[in-house]
Amino acid sequence: MVGLDIGTTSTRAVVGDFNEEDQLEIIGVGVAPSTGLRRGVVLNIEATLSSVSSAIESAELMSGREIHSCVLGISGANVESLNSKGVVAVAGKGREITADDIGRVHEAAKAVSIAMDREILHVIPQTYSVDAQRGIRDPLHMMGVRLESEVHIITSSVTTTQNMAKCVNRAGYKPDRFILGSLAAARSVLSSDERDLGCLLMDIGGGTTDLMVFRDGEPWYTSAVPAGGMQVTNDISIMLSVLMDSAERLKREAASCWLESIDADELIVVPGIGGREPTEIPRRKLCAIVQPRMEEIFLMAKEKLDKAGYLKDIKAGIVLTGGASLMAGARELAESVFGVPAHLGTPPVIGGLGSEYRNPMFATAVGLVLLEADAQLALDPSRGQASARKDKSRASSLGKIVTWLKDKFI
Ligand SMILES: Nc1ncnc2c1ncn2[C@@H]1O[C@H](COP(=O)(O)OP(=O)(O)OP(=O)(O)O)[C@@H](O)[C@H]1O
Ligand SMILES: [Mg+2]
């Protein structure tokens, strides 16, 4: 199982497999810089395919396996979502709801008009009603006359998906299926309690910040803010007149987006450009550049949630993931903007390799492998019983996505 996450700054490939005890292990990871994308959209095919090649080749080397295909994560500014409802009459014998009825109600809910240039990436059942009884999670074998389903539909631009697939194909690999990056990240960093109670997953990457609101275990809102860590680096480079490389290093090593925690007399060294001497500046000056940009990202996300009516639903708080969530003070700033608790989401311990993948930057790529493993376990339940039991709390409510994947692809 290979998860491929093509990002705006890096491409990551993660290889997983079941060991002799049927437990999932991560056996290889590969990372390569990515320059061919802007805000999750491919602008340069050649650059993207060479990034894909080198990430997968590194993962091949580490895992000692030959890779032919992968599960491809789709994210970025071109992803949109809507919620829809479908109703059908129960046709099963004696009015018992069958898998066929559930399939039909999903089809009915899916019948929405979407623009010609968009395609449906996922249809995720949220809740069912049987006659007057609402809020049912699994209606199979229940008795009733009328079955209603609410679903979350995620669409992406046809050209975005095609271009991503083209890069992977031309690099010599076959994309087996496309999965929304946020769903994969959710699989690797959210607990089932967080999904049940209601939370916001924020994947702050290099070029985009992907948002997903979960409530009652399922996604209800998917969106993205067109800004991320690259804008922060850009601000530092311009305001301190340093090269992008130095700005990136300053950001990672000395910046914080929570000014309150920085002493007024702390100094940092800023490299000079073009033979100029390095200078010393107060660390607070760097943080005063970084904080407004990070705050802007959180405020844009908050405004989106507020407009869509989901701000009240994030009772369990915010889970921050993606590379830019590693910025010092990100948690504190998110808590102050949203007024709810926030924490960093890191992929779980899976076994196999060391801990390289246990970093928020790997949330999506690791999640793609976890979802693929879930799908394989759903197909062959006798396999991996031990690992399924171990990871049941996380897998349970994303099981519907897996079911959907199974219906559509297998
Ligand atoms: N320690 C750190 N502190 C602050 N920022 C960091 C740190 N480590 C990485 N970053 C930032 O994280 C960003 C990259 O994150 P990530 O790899 O999740 O993005 P991506 O997946 O390539 O992009 P996207 O998801 O937007 O397409 C970069 O902007 C990088 O500067
Ligand atoms: Mg990303």
Side-chain angles (χ1 to χ4, degrees):
M1 290 163 281
V2 180
L4 183 67
D5 170 25
I6 310 176
T8 310
T9 57
S10 309
T11 298
R12 293 192 171 80
V14 171
V15 190
D17 201 1
F18 292 106
N19 63 15
E20 302 88 67
E21 280 125 45
D22 275 348
Q23 281 179 334
L24 179 68
E25 288 190 336
I26 300 297
I27 57 171
V29 298
V31 185
S34 161
T35 53
L37 264 72
R38 229 178 104 215
R39 303 203 168 120
V41 176
V42 179
L43 292 187
N44 183 333
I45 298 254
E46 294 305 320
T48 307
L49 88 84
S50 88
S51 168
V52 167
S53 295
S54 71
I56 297 190
E57 276 161 23
S58 312
E60 273 182 327
L61 264 179
M62 191 186 273
S63 62
R65 302 282 176 88
E66 215 173 293
I67 295 172
H68 302 286
S69 61
C70 62
V71 184
L72 184 56
I74 300 286
S75 38
N78 274 342
V79 171
E80 287 171 10
S81 73
L82 68 139
N83 292 324
S84 168
K85 274 183 196 173
V87 187
V88 292
V90 177
K93 223 176 167 186
R95 297 291 181 200
E96 181 181 318
I97 295 169
T98 60
D100 186 49
D101 292 319
I102 297 175
R104 282 192 305 117
V105 80
H106 292 167
E107 281 302 317
K110 232 172 89 174
V112 288
S113 72
I114 58 166
M116 290 283 285
D117 59 347
R118 303 196 66 79
E119 63 185 348
I120 293 180
L121 202 55
H122 301 290
V123 179
I124 303 161
Q126 297 162 319
T127 174
Y128 299 88
S129 304
V130 177
D131 298 341
Q133 205 177 332
R134 301 175 66 85
I136 296 166
R137 286 208 174 177
D138 185 2
L140 189 65
H141 303 312
M142 289 182 80
M143 309 299 288
V145 177
R146 180 182 183 275
L147 174 65
E148 184 178 321
S149 170
E150 288 183 58
V151 298
H152 185 58
I153 300 178
I154 297 165
T155 67
S156 72
S157 128
V158 175
T159 44
T160 302
T161 324
Q162 279 175 347
N163 283 335
M164 285 262 190
K166 191 169 180 182
C167 294
V168 177
N169 272 320
R170 283 192 46 197
Y173 308 98
K174 181 175 162 279
D176 280 336
R177 60 184 82 171
F178 305 105
I179 295 185
L180 179 76
S182 299
L183 279 179
R187 173 65 181 89
S188 63
V189 305
L190 295 187
S191 69
S192 54
D193 285 347
E194 282 165 338
R195 290 198 303 263
D196 283 344
L197 210 57
C199 70
L200 166 65
L201 176 71
M202 270 186 98
D203 176 354
I204 320 178
T208 47
T209 297
D210 299 311
L211 311 172
M212 192 168 237
V213 174
F214 280 79
R215 196 180 77 194
D216 300 323
E218 305 302 337
W220 284 79
Y221 179 68
T222 307
S223 191
V225 167
M230 248 154 58
Q231 276 79 9
V232 178
T233 310
N234 222 13
D235 290 348
I236 299 175
S237 163
I238 292 168
M239 305 287 277
L240 296 181
S241 307
V242 292
L243 297 173
M244 285 295 274
D245 281 358
S246 311
E248 180 73 26
R249 222 184 47 242
L250 279 170
K251 179 176 88 170
R252 290 184 189 215
E253 290 168 8
S256 165
C257 58
W258 192 238
L259 259 174
E260 275 176 32
S261 65
I262 310 298
D263 288 337
D265 51 3
E266 232 182 299
L267 295 174
I268 55 165
V269 178
V270 174
I273 290 188
R276 269 187 279 136
E277 287 293 302
T279 49
E280 272 193 339
I281 62 160
R283 190 172 167 215
R284 267 182 161 259
K285 188 173 170 186
L286 172 67
C287 301
I289 296 170
V290 162
Q291 178 158 335
R293 181 64 80 173
M294 290 296 283
E295 197 167 347
E296 186 191 27
I297 294 176
F298 289 127
L299 284 169
M300 285 195 287
K302 186 180 177 190
E303 199 185 313
K304 279 194 160 238
L305 257 64
D306 197 14
K307 266 198 184 145
Y310 291 102
L311 202 52
K312 61 180 188 327
D313 289 329
I314 55 170
K315 298 187 185 77
I318 300 168
V319 180
L320 300 172
T321 193
S325 68
L326 289 168
M327 159 82 62
R331 184 182 61 78
E332 289 85 348
L333 186 61
E335 287 184 346
S336 116
V337 169
F338 283 88
V340 293
H343 73 88
L344 207 63
T346 305
V349 181
I350 299 176
L353 268 189
S355 55
E356 201 174 339
Y357 64 89
R358 294 214 62 216
N359 182 311
M361 290 194 220
F362 276 97
T364 302
V366 169
L368 290 170
V369 172
L370 288 169
L371 283 175
E372 185 63 14
D374 293 345
Q376 292 198 8
L377 289 174
L379 269 183
D380 180 6
S382 65
R383 184 175 204 192
Q385 272 174 3
S387 52
R389 264 199 306 277
K390 202 172 143 203
D391 203 25
K392 203 169 174 197
S393 65
R394 281 170 187 267
S396 55
S397 92
L398 285 173
K400 284 182 194 161
I401 297 162
V402 174
T403 314
W404 180 84
L405 290 171
K406 210 169 74 174
D407 290 349
K408 181 153 185 176
F409 293 102
I410 301 168

